[in-house]
Amino acid sequence: MDWTIEARHEFDQMPPDGKQLILAARAELITATDPYYRGIDADASLSHWITVRPLASTNPGGQHIASLAGGRGWLIYTFICRHAEPQIIITDAFWA
């Protein structure tokens, strides 16, 4: 998983509890069978404090948002499906 410079800066400025949840969400995202989370209840295997959906319903293969702790924070990411090594790029991170 990679970060844009802006997203990494936001992560570095977060309080410890926010960083801990972001890192836990990161672990769940990089081990997911389907990082696009397609279909009904596709994110049912995730912990109760994280939900994933496409950022734009018209582009289900584009950016996704992982809402954390009931919307207290989020990660916006793009999944790049590559045969040798799939990649997730975080473009925005937020914690309130």
Side-chain angles (χ1 to χ4, degrees):
M1 180 176 277
D2 292 323
W3 300 71
T4 62
I5 293 171
E6 296 84 9
R8 186 60 196 212
H9 177 72
E10 291 299 321
F11 174 76
D12 290 340
Q13 302 302 315
M14 288 179 190
D17 61 333
K19 284 183 179 181
Q20 185 178 15
L21 268 180
I22 295 284
L23 292 175
R26 175 190 176 273
E28 296 218 23
L29 292 174
I30 63 174
T31 59
T33 305
D34 180 10
Y36 287 122
Y37 293 97
R38 293 171 280 217
I40 298 172
D41 294 330
D43 62 356
S45 64
L46 292 173
S47 298
H48 69 280
W49 53 268
I50 180 172
T51 59
V52 175
R53 61 179 169 73
L55 196 58
S57 62
T58 57
N59 189 10
Q63 287 190 316
H64 278 62
I65 183 166
S67 297
L68 311 174
R72 188 165 176 212
W74 66 74
L75 291 174
I76 297 176
Y77 69 93
T78 302
F79 174 70
I80 300 172
C81 185
R82 298 187 299 195
H83 178 70
E85 182 183 349
Q87 183 177 23
I88 293 175
I89 301 171
I90 296 177
T91 57
D92 189 23
F94 174 80
W95 186 257

